Amino acid sequence: MKNDSTLAYLRRMNPVPEAASSVDGAELLDRITSLPHDEPLRARRSPHRRRVALVAVGLVVMALLATTALAISGWFGDVVEPPVTKQEYRNAQDMLTLPPGATWRELNLDPNSVTSRGGGGSYAVMIAMGSWECYWVDAIKSGDQPAQQQAHSELNSLLHDHVVIAPPGASENWAPSTAQFPVAAFADDGGYQMKQAMYADAAAGHPHSLIQSCRANGP
Amino acid sequence: MTNQPDRQSAEARFREVFSHLGAVTAYARRRGSRDPDGIAAEAMTIAWRRLADVPADDPLPWLYATARNLVLEESRRSAPAAAAGDDAEQSFDPQPFELDPALDQALRSLSRFDREALLLVAWEDLTPKQAAKALGINGTAFRVRLLRARRRLQASLEQATPPSPHLNHLDVEGT
């Protein structure tokens, strides 16, 4: 990157120019490393990445299908082009929380494709859901109770606030007509209730389904 | 459970990660956290617990991404309390503080993602590659976003303030 005076100006205005901590680093280090640490130091594939990959594949397939239907986009109801979907995805990121350490994946869409309106928000909801599920699994494995409770709470909030059930018999492209955003629409096939039961079971000490859900999209 | 050599190896590696404590604390402070030391300590605790997920070659982007999520959480937790006041909207979003009012306003006018892209490079001194990792996007997408964010910031600054010596020759395109 060439010299940029906008960035130079911003650098000069840095309100905290020095990296510094006011805590006793040695004491904090001892305290942290005295905590349980059960994870082996080997490269581990991020579990939520697998779920994200599946969602991404789904979106790409949807986009590819839609690409061929640009001229007949009426088939897809209210469809939008990639910039709108990407903006929806960014807007959704401002409204959803990912677990510590997780980041939002890039949304790649064919430039000539169309997607149902709200698809960017739906994609973000599914990413958040998958990330929190796998974060919960990790927290169970490491015995981190606060993290488990946080994951449970976040997932319940996602289900309550950002997931809707499509009416019976609705098409696959059904989208809620309300201004609710971001929102993922689940088919009326018991999937929503299965998620609820899965989270309740995990909270009650039976995380088998949760672990399977996290693992399901793995290679 | 880990055996003793594994534990020692983990501790040795974690000490390298922990050497960034000051940087993470400063990051949280720059993003307007009310408890930057607490955020940094929490980020380090998570790093210890999930050490296998922390990139060994360059942990800083991972630490910033973790701290960012923690600051956002802190902000969301405090949102209901702030909602009772007059400044609820601004309190909801972590913001830089004690800034020149024009710059503060210009930064607030950016989307959170654009602002973060700019600040990771300007204040956290990350390379575009590192900043892209912290935001979970690829390097090319990050450069595009950074360019756009710089343009928007400059436009906001020019709107907010009359020409000043250090703003007269902003190089918007970076050329």
Side-chain angles (χ1 to χ4, degrees):
Chain A
M1 182 182 298
K2 295 181 181 179
N3 185 34
D4 182 318
S5 50
T6 308
L7 286 177
Y9 169 63
L10 205 47
R11 285 195 174 101
R12 285 200 302 276
M13 303 300 280
N14 189 339
V16 186
E18 296 295 327
S21 171
S22 59
V23 302
D24 181 343
E27 192 270 336
L28 179 61
L29 178 63
D30 287 345
R31 193 147 43 93
I32 291 175
T33 51
S34 69
L35 295 171
H37 174 80
D38 292 337
E39 304 208 21
L41 269 179
R42 57 182 162 75
R44 195 176 63 179
R45 205 178 330 220
S46 170
H48 70 261
R49 184 173 294 177
R50 300 191 293 256
R51 176 178 293 273
V52 167
L54 186 74
V55 174
V57 166
L59 256 186
V60 167
V61 168
M62 188 168 70
L64 284 174
L65 286 171
T67 303
T68 61
L70 260 178
I72 48 174
S73 57
W75 289 8
F76 290 85
D78 187 12
V79 294
V80 294
E81 295 184 359
V84 176
T85 304
K86 288 183 176 181
Q87 187 60 50
E88 288 173 343
Y89 182 52
R90 285 193 292 271
N91 291 345
Q93 291 172 23
D94 286 343
M95 304 169 77
L96 302 170
T97 305
L98 284 187
T103 55
W104 293 102
R105 303 295 164 195
E106 189 177 1
L107 175 57
N108 290 311
L109 294 171
D110 188 307
N112 295 321
S113 66
V114 289
T115 307
S116 296
R117 187 177 294 280
S122 175
Y123 180 66
V125 171
M126 294 310 294
I127 285 183
M129 192 171 280
S131 299
W132 279 111
E133 285 182 3
C134 291
Y135 181 77
W136 193 353
V137 171
D138 284 349
I140 290 170
K141 287 178 179 171
S142 62
D144 186 340
Q145 289 289 344
Q148 291 176 43
Q149 287 163 5
Q150 184 192 9
H152 188 195
S153 167
E154 292 286 349
L155 284 164
N156 278 344
S157 297
L158 279 170
L159 275 182
H160 185 264
D161 300 333
H162 297 290
V163 174
V164 294
I165 303 174
S171 79
E172 288 185 11
N173 298 307
W174 180 87
S177 56
T178 64
Q180 190 180 358
F181 179 86
V183 66
F186 279 25
D188 183 34
D189 58 2
Y192 184 96
Q193 291 79 1
M194 190 199 73
K195 288 271 186 196
Q196 282 182 313
M198 182 169 76
Y199 300 156
D201 285 349
H206 307 291
H208 182 70
S209 298
L210 183 74
I211 293 168
Q212 291 283 21
S213 177
C214 177
R215 193 182 289 155
N217 302 313
Chain B
M1 294 295 289
T2 54
N3 58 29
Q4 195 60 22
D6 276 349
R7 176 123 192 147
Q8 286 173 352
S9 164
E11 288 184 4
R13 214 193 112 193
F14 181 68
R15 268 193 286 277
E16 292 175 26
V17 176
F18 192 81
S19 68
H20 297 292
L21 177 69
V24 178
T25 307
Y27 171 88
R29 190 165 285 138
R30 289 174 191 131
R31 296 303 183 275
S33 167
R34 291 164 185 79
D35 181 18
D37 287 325
I39 294 285
E42 179 66 15
M44 288 298 171
T45 305
I46 292 167
W48 167 248
R49 204 175 57 226
R50 301 165 62 90
L51 197 55
D53 291 338
V54 183
D57 56 338
D58 185 11
L60 207 45
W62 190 96
L63 288 170
Y64 284 149
T66 300
R68 178 168 180 255
N69 285 339
L70 292 171
V71 171
L72 287 170
E73 265 183 58
E74 179 191 60
S75 174
R76 286 192 173 93
R77 279 200 305 272
S78 64
D86 296 333
D87 201 20
E89 186 60 32
Q90 292 185 349
S91 300
F92 181 75
D93 197 7
Q95 296 285 352
F97 58 104
E98 294 177 5
L99 283 177
D100 172 78
L103 178 58
D104 183 71
Q105 190 176 348
L107 285 171
R108 285 171 193 269
S109 74
L110 301 178
S111 75
R112 196 160 63 196
F113 209 79
D114 280 358
R115 185 169 58 238
E116 186 67 6
L118 267 176
L119 297 186
L120 282 172
V121 172
W123 288 357
E124 266 55 60
D125 211 20
L126 294 189
T127 65
K129 190 177 171 186
Q130 287 177 307
K133 281 184 187 168
L135 288 175
I137 61 177
N138 72 36
T140 306
F142 178 82
R143 284 171 187 279
V144 171
R145 179 169 291 278
L146 184 64
L147 174 63
R148 225 164 34 198
R150 276 161 34 203
R151 281 179 178 163
R152 288 172 181 158
L153 181 72
Q154 192 218 9
S156 295
L157 285 170
E158 285 177 348
Q159 267 188 338
T161 57
S164 67
H166 55 259
L167 292 177
N168 270 346
H169 303 293
L170 287 182
D171 177 10
V172 180
E173 303 295 334
T175 54

